[in-house]
Amino acid sequence: MTKVVFINAFEYNYLGTRQLASYLRKFGHETHNILLGHVSDGYSPVGELKDEHHGYMILIDGRLISHAGNTWPLSESDFTILEEVLIEEEPDIIGFSARSTNNYLIPKLVPVFRKAAPHALLAAGGYGPTLEPDLYLDGGFDVVIRGDGEEAVLELADAVQAGEREAALLIKNTYWNKLLGGGRNPMRDQEKHLEKYPPQLTGNSAFSVIADGAVKRHYDPGIQSLDYVTYLGRGCTGKCTYCSGGQWRALYREEGRKAYPRRNRDMHSVIEECSSIPDSKRVIAFCDEFWSMSVSQTRKFFTLYKEHVKKPFFAYLQYDQMVNNTDLFELILDAGLMATGIGFQHGSASFLKKYYGRNEHYDLLLKYAEMLSSNLVRYYCQFIGGNCYETLDDFHECLSLIRKLPSDIEFKELAVLDIFRLRPHPKTPITLIAPRVVTDPMPANEWLYRAVFMQLANKMPVDELQEMMTISSFKHDAMLLYDFSRSWWYRQQCRHYEKLVAEEADKDWIFYGAGENYQRNKKFFAPLKPRAILVDRAYLPDEKEMDGIPVVCAEDFLASSGVDKESRYLVFVNPASRVAQNLLRTYKIPRAHIHACEIGLPC
């Protein structure tokens, strides 16, 4: 039996090492997973703008966020604790799985690995090591596993157990440090049938978390999360110039090996996995970048999902399937679609084609956005900013497209603009066709300046937006514009709610939610004089009354035949879209009668 310790940074739900660990355990090897870093989703808010940073910088829903390695960097205490944990675990193999964003950790980690486990084999895998293997080998790793790693890692563990060093040096998909006498071995055919790989590993005994100078031994943060992350398949059929996905296939095809643009798992296996997760998991997140089932297969899958799983979910779906098959879209809504994403990338058709290798389908995407918005489904509108080749004309075309997107002042999370600062991955096609994106990138200040106006484009009147673009202080310091835009939007929301209270106080109102958000806003909305406060059964307090208003079970109230469809509902649950969507679809409350407040208003 070989002991393998897997390590990854800033991603607690990372499927790669969890699946490798599960696969090794299937064949009798021992594993432990160490999760490094403070933030489970890999990103956190930032208060300053930097040109040099690790990973992406993103303006999302009006918030500036960045890779957690920038805002919560690993400390010397973290590395000291990592050394102590590795000494306790006594690994035969240490496997570091990394994206290119974590390449900077190589000189920090390798000395810790060597000191804690001097006899362990150091292996690296994932996108970062696969695309830049020499970077990892020169940095001190013994071997890089290129491409899909299950078979190579298993054979490596078997060879270490048997003491067969020469056999290990010949394992396919491996690239060895020349100090060990090895070299680059050929790739093997990709495994077509993903059913051979068991679901990802979970369980406190198999994990440790190191962050903020402390360790939680035998603790799996994935268990505590309300989300369950899984996947339908691997690969993407797209050929976007900024993405590493196409290079993955090229690794195999350059050597004459079989590679598949997309491999799907058996849908029944996915349904069985999703139906067996604990009730504590509220949402299932399908992390596939592309949904590649046919219309008939998609219909079958979500029919099964609706019948056997019955949990809200996130998934990227095929836009044309949704727009052209409204019955399928309705089925997916009923199955529990709560959030998705739409990849616009840019608003200039010529720019989109030239630099990102994508054809425009703006009418289709805008139609899909309208469908999602009208059904209160959260969707992330993804754009790429910060491309140094973008002219002002290109930028203004982008603003024109964004103006056509739905915007809802109450449900701020419905149409979330997700604006990435372009940071090409190594050796992606865009680095060849547009080399200045690497050598002379758009300054961070200019990216943020444009990104903020993109965020405002479908919220602010055109003449007011144009006037703001003439203010030189905003141009020189985009953080001033960033702060102004957030306060401006808050003022617009306050005015909206003031108008709502003034004009709709004579209607029959029902509030939904009695938690913190209600408590901080109850004085502001008191003039609406609600006849009831609805609270979900799981959170129903013992008190039958609050602020002189009856508190009743939401499920019982809404299921009663006496519900008046003319009543107005104000949702204080945050985020509000899930409750609002339930009111709309389950209880047939008209969309125009469903309101929400997710911010604190001045009393």
Side-chain angles (χ1 to χ4, degrees):
M1 177 178 66
T2 298
K3 176 67 173 289
V4 182
V5 172
F6 290 108
I7 297 172
N8 58 271
F10 304 112
E11 290 184 271
Y12 291 173
N13 286 318
Y14 183 59
L15 292 184
T17 50
R18 286 177 178 267
Q19 288 200 292
L20 289 173
S22 184
Y23 191 60
L24 286 181
R25 287 180 172 226
K26 177 181 176 180
F27 292 94
H29 295 292
E30 187 180 354
T31 69
H32 193 78
N33 285 41
I34 298 176
L35 308 174
L36 292 176
H38 176 82
V39 182
S40 62
D41 63 2
Y43 285 84
S44 60
V46 296
E48 60 180 327
L49 195 60
K50 294 182 178 180
D51 273 297
E52 296 301 322
H53 57 87
H54 305 301
Y56 288 121
M57 188 167 283
I58 311 171
L59 186 64
I60 178 171
D61 192 24
R63 295 178 301 119
L64 184 61
I65 66 172
S66 183
H67 185 271
N70 302 305
T71 51
W72 297 96
L74 294 171
S75 66
E76 291 304 317
S77 296
D78 294 323
F79 293 118
T80 299
I81 293 170
L82 174 61
E83 179 184 331
E84 294 169 353
V85 173
L86 286 172
I87 291 172
E88 291 178 14
E89 291 294 334
E90 299 181 325
D92 301 302
I93 300 174
I94 296 176
F96 179 56
S97 183
R99 304 180 192 272
S100 298
T101 52
N102 290 329
N103 288 349
Y104 74 97
L105 291 173
I106 297 172
K108 290 285 190 178
L109 291 175
V110 170
V112 174
F113 296 163
R114 291 296 183 198
K115 185 177 179 182
H119 302 296
L121 187 73
L122 304 190
Y127 272 107
T130 293
L131 297 177
E132 298 183 286
D134 291 319
L135 183 67
Y136 280 78
L137 296 176
D138 293 343
F141 281 87
D142 297 317
V143 60
V144 165
I145 296 171
R146 299 187 296 144
D148 292 1
E150 283 86 352
E151 284 74 25
V153 169
L154 176 60
E155 291 174 16
L156 193 62
D158 289 342
V160 168
Q161 180 180 357
E164 297 176 348
R165 174 175 172 172
E166 296 302 318
L169 294 175
L170 299 176
I171 293 173
K172 292 179 178 179
N173 289 51
T174 60
Y175 184 9
W176 290 83
N177 194 312
K178 289 181 173 57
L179 295 176
L180 297 179
R184 184 194 297 260
N185 291 315
M187 306 293 286
R188 71 188 75 218
D189 292 342
Q190 269 191 336
E191 174 59 50
K192 183 176 182 179
H193 302 289
L194 298 178
E195 288 70 39
K196 70 176 292 186
Y197 306 132
Q200 64 269 21
L201 182 67
T202 60
N204 286 327
S205 63
F207 291 83
S208 293
V209 175
I210 299 174
D212 304 326
V215 60
K216 292 183 179 180
R217 290 286 271 150
H218 307 299
Y219 172 77
D220 180 3
I223 293 178
Q224 315 304 320
S225 172
L226 298 178
D227 297 346
Y228 180 81
V229 180
T230 189
Y231 71 110
L232 185 72
R234 297 183 184 179
C236 178
T237 59
K239 297 180 180 179
C240 304
T241 63
Y242 50 83
C243 180
S244 300
Q247 299 175 73
W248 206 256
R249 300 195 302 273
L251 289 172
Y252 295 83
R253 292 177 175 175
E254 287 170 1
E255 298 185 18
R257 314 308 297 182
K258 287 184 180 179
Y260 304 92
R262 176 71 183 184
R263 294 166 288 164
N264 280 343
R265 298 168 61 192
D266 175 73
M267 72 169 68
H268 297 282
S269 297
V270 180
I271 294 296
E272 182 179 356
E273 176 193 346
C274 293
S275 61
S276 64
I277 64 175
D279 291 339
S280 59
K281 299 294 182 184
R282 305 275 183 84
V283 176
I284 294 177
F286 292 99
C287 63
D288 305 63
E289 293 186 7
F290 185 79
W291 191 271
S292 63
M293 284 184 169
S294 66
V295 170
S296 60
Q297 289 175 317
T298 301
R299 182 176 284 110
K300 182 177 180 180
F301 177 84
F302 283 112
T303 299
L304 292 170
Y305 187 96
K306 179 181 176 181
E307 179 180 355
H308 298 287
V309 183
K310 303 174 184 175
K311 284 183 182 289
F313 66 91
F314 171 95
Y316 288 106
L317 301 167
Q318 285 197 50
Y319 318 134
D320 57 336
Q321 286 186 356
M322 300 301 100
V323 172
N324 297 325
N325 300 275
T326 54
D327 62 323
L328 178 61
F329 182 65
E330 287 292 322
L331 168 64
I332 292 174
L333 290 174
D334 287 341
L337 178 66
M338 64 163 288
T340 187
I342 306 178
F344 286 91
Q345 312 312 352
H346 203 275
S348 164
S350 58
F351 191 93
L352 185 70
K353 179 66 175 177
K354 181 176 181 179
Y355 292 106
Y356 301 144
R358 296 180 59 152
N359 295 318
E360 67 88 4
H361 301 285
Y362 297 143
D363 289 343
L364 178 72
L365 302 190
L366 290 170
K367 174 63 176 176
Y368 185 40
E370 288 284 355
M371 292 166 62
L372 293 166
S373 182
S374 63
N375 284 280
L376 293 162
V377 177
R378 187 187 338 164
Y379 57 101
Y380 297 88
C381 301
Q382 294 156 345
F383 287 85
I384 299 173
N387 189 321
C388 59
Y389 291 88
E390 181 186 75
T391 67
L392 285 177
D393 286 341
D394 297 326
F395 172 58
H396 284 287
E397 282 191 64
C398 208
L399 295 182
S400 296
L401 175 67
I402 292 172
R403 287 191 190 101
K404 299 176 183 178
L405 284 168
S407 178
D408 195 302
I409 200 166
E410 294 185 353
F411 295 90
K412 64 182 180 64
E413 81 283 4
L414 278 186
V416 177
L417 262 72
D418 203 354
I419 305 170
F420 290 76
R421 184 186 179 199
L422 179 62
R423 195 70 180 263
H425 293 296
K427 301 179 182 178
T428 45
I430 195 173
T431 64
L432 300 177
I433 65 175
R436 283 202 298 118
V437 299
V438 176
T439 61
D440 187 25
M442 180 183 288
N445 187 75
E446 181 64 20
W447 162 74
L448 182 60
Y449 176 80
R450 298 188 184 199
V452 172
F453 281 116
M454 290 167 68
Q455 293 261 345
L456 292 172
N458 67 337
K459 301 177 176 65
M460 182 179 283
V462 174
D463 55 347
E464 188 174 349
L465 192 77
Q466 291 174 340
E467 183 178 350
M468 283 184 60
M469 295 179 78
T470 66
I471 300 175
S472 59
S473 60
F474 288 160
K475 179 74 173 177
H476 293 146
D477 186 353
M479 288 300 291
L480 293 176
L481 175 62
Y482 170 69
D483 292 336
F484 173 84
S485 69
R486 290 166 62 84
S487 62
W488 177 86
W489 184 233
Y490 178 73
R491 292 194 298 273
Q492 303 311 303
Q493 291 173 303
C494 291
R495 290 170 187 157
H496 167 80
Y497 287 116
E498 289 170 356
K499 183 178 179 181
L500 179 72
V501 170
E503 296 181 356
E504 301 286 327
D506 61 335
K507 302 296 191 299
D508 177 46
W509 282 92
I510 298 165
F511 289 178
Y512 199 124
E516 179 183 345
N517 199 29
Y518 164 74
Q519 294 298 330
R520 64 181 177 176
N521 286 306
K522 62 184 181 182
K523 289 184 179 179
F524 185 94
F525 288 108
L528 295 182
K529 299 178 182 178
R531 64 182 170 98
I533 299 176
L534 307 187
V535 178
D536 291 341
R537 182 174 284 108
Y539 304 101
L540 196 64
D542 294 333
E543 297 82 4
K544 303 298 182 184
E545 216 175 69
M546 185 176 293
D547 303 314
I549 307 165
V551 177
V552 298
C553 174
E555 293 90 339
D556 293 342
F557 179 90
L558 293 167
S560 67
S561 58
V563 171
D564 186 353
K565 298 297 190 296
E566 292 302 311
S567 299
R568 269 59 170 173
Y569 289 78
L570 181 55
V571 180
F572 290 103
V573 179
N574 198 352
S577 58
R578 285 174 60 187
V579 168
Q581 190 181 26
N582 190 41
L583 291 172
L584 176 71
R585 298 199 60 80
T586 304
Y587 300 105
K588 309 305 178 186
I589 306 300
R591 171 68 175 86
H593 293 179
I594 302 172
H595 298 267
C597 180
E598 301 174 283
I599 61 172
L601 296 169
C603 296

